[in-house]
Amino acid sequence: MAFPLCSTRTLLLFFLLSAIPVAFIISLELANPATHVFHYHSSGFFRECAKWDDLNRRFLVSFMGGGVGEIRVPDDYSPGVVLKEVTLVKDIDLTGNASLGIIVDRPRNRLLVAVSDVLGNKYNALAAYDLNTWKRLFLTQLSGPGDEKALADDVAVDAEGTAYVTDAKAGKIWKVGKDGEFVSIIRNPLFNAKEWYKNLVALNGIVYHPDGFLIVIHTVTGNLYKVDITKGDEVKLIKVTGGSLFFGDGLELLSPTELVVAGNPSARLVKSSDGWETASVVATSKGPVHRLPTAATVKDGKVYINHLLGIGFPKKHAIVEAVFST
């Protein structure tokens, strides 16, 4: 028997169905975390990326609404204490654009930030800020309304200060010089899947390896690439065994032979013994999947995973220690 659309029974059924995921989320939030968690209150629901700034003892986080904040961890920090986010950057001229991937460029004492018009895909840029004064050092436009749709997602920096920004929409890498000059675009047929729907989220996380190459992930396929910038930006598909990297997001090198891939399940640990010609998924870490893991960072030798969603009022975010198991 069908229920009238606005009947009491229909409304009750709707309430019960909607209450199930809410109750599940509440149970996850109330459960004791299996690993250490840095919780912090913020002004927004979405925090795309977090990186540990060891010199200043703080997490730096990017705002999906645009801007950058910090979460300072005091020397006398006690586990369980909820920390406070402080806004550092909020550029009026970039209103309407999101701050996504970030990287601490320690040798030049600056933070590099990928900036993107997430909904329209019509504006993309790379910004650089001084880590002490937060003065903007440069803003390099990567694409505009007249160009192909694109989405500046994540950023890495090499030993010379050249930055590499992934395009999660069109599957390419922008190259920006040390002082903000636009250099070139790295394109390769390997970056794009044959099926159109597998390119809905293309190139995403990126890291620079000290041996002079980049490691990049394609989110939907889980493909991992080695881009050798010492050989004319040569691109190779890294053969990965031991598990899938499907829905991989942010990347972080734990050592020259170990790579952390954020994304459901919370994170995966990947190892290579041949200079990243091949690699193997050797362990995984499970975290609060309802918050959506998006980035990884290393603090005091331990891996922490940033999660996109803040829960509640005020918004409480979680940066969770990853403990890997086979």
Side-chain angles (χ1 to χ4, degrees):
M1 176 180 177
F3 296 138
L5 185 59
C6 296
S7 71
T8 302
R9 289 184 178 181
T10 301
L11 293 176
L12 180 60
L13 178 62
F14 175 78
F15 174 79
L16 290 173
L17 291 175
S18 63
I20 292 173
V22 172
F24 178 66
I25 290 174
I26 291 174
S27 69
L28 291 175
E29 286 295 304
L30 293 177
N32 291 325
T35 63
H36 179 243
V37 180
F38 286 102
H39 280 121
Y40 67 93
H41 285 146
S42 78
S43 58
F45 284 109
F46 303 104
R47 296 294 178 260
E48 166 67 16
C49 188
K51 293 294 181 181
W52 176 246
D53 175 11
D54 58 343
L55 186 63
N56 297 291
R57 300 293 300 172
R58 61 188 175 180
F59 288 102
L60 297 173
V61 295
S62 61
F63 302 170
M64 284 284 284
V68 174
E70 68 172 6
I71 300 96
R72 288 193 174 270
V73 180
D75 292 336
D76 60 351
Y77 167 77
S78 297
V81 172
V82 179
L83 302 172
K84 179 70 175 178
E85 174 191 275
V86 175
T87 298
L88 299 171
V89 171
K90 196 75 172 175
D91 292 334
I92 296 176
D93 60 335
L94 292 177
T95 298
N97 294 291
S99 297
L100 299 178
I102 59 176
I103 186 72
V104 175
D105 183 8
R106 177 59 61 205
R108 282 153 284 275
N109 193 50
R110 64 187 185 180
L111 184 76
L112 300 178
V113 183
V115 178
S116 183
D117 164 27
V118 172
L119 297 179
N121 303 140
K122 294 181 179 179
Y123 178 83
N124 295 277
L126 177 68
Y129 300 91
D130 184 275
L131 282 168
N132 297 121
T133 65
W134 292 101
K135 175 183 177 182
R136 192 166 76 191
L137 304 175
F138 65 74
L139 177 68
T140 303
Q141 183 171 330
L142 304 174
S143 70
D147 302 316
E148 66 179 343
K149 288 189 175 183
L151 197 159
D153 191 277
D154 205 357
V155 57
V157 60
D158 67 18
E160 304 302 320
T162 300
Y164 303 84
V165 183
T166 54
D167 179 355
K169 181 70 175 178
K172 62 180 183 288
I173 301 172
W174 290 284
K175 195 172 182 177
V176 178
K178 175 173 66 71
D179 299 316
E181 68 277 16
F182 181 84
V183 177
S184 62
I185 295 176
I186 303 173
R187 296 181 186 269
N188 192 283
L190 291 175
F191 288 157
N192 298 104
K194 293 181 180 180
E195 303 88 345
W196 66 269
Y197 56 88
K198 290 186 179 180
N199 293 308
L200 291 175
V201 184
L203 298 188
N204 198 327
I206 183 170
V207 291
Y208 171 73
H209 193 282
D211 287 344
F213 54 87
L214 305 170
I215 300 175
V216 192
I217 194 165
H218 186 289
T219 289
V220 177
T221 64
N223 286 341
L224 206 60
Y225 306 102
K226 178 180 179 179
V227 182
D228 196 331
I229 56 179
T230 68
K231 297 181 179 179
D233 301 328
E234 175 188 80
V235 178
K236 292 183 179 179
L237 179 67
I238 299 172
K239 183 180 179 181
V240 178
T241 59
S244 171
L245 296 179
F246 171 71
F247 225 69
D249 198 326
L251 305 181
E252 183 79 358
L253 278 175
L254 186 56
S255 74
T257 60
E258 297 173 298
L259 177 73
V260 178
V261 181
N264 286 320
S266 193
R268 283 152 282 188
L269 182 62
V270 185
K271 288 189 177 183
S272 175
S273 58
D274 59 3
W276 294 96
E277 295 294 315
T278 64
S280 179
V281 179
V282 296
T284 60
S285 175
K286 294 183 179 179
V289 294
H290 63 293
R291 286 177 174 265
L292 299 180
T294 53
T297 191
V298 176
K299 176 187 181 297
D300 303 329
K302 297 180 179 179
V303 176
Y304 285 85
I305 304 299
N306 175 78
H307 291 77
L308 179 67
L309 298 177
I311 305 292
F313 296 94
K315 298 88 175 174
K316 190 168 75 169
H317 287 262
I319 299 175
V320 182
E321 180 187 355
V323 176
F324 294 97
S325 60
T326 56

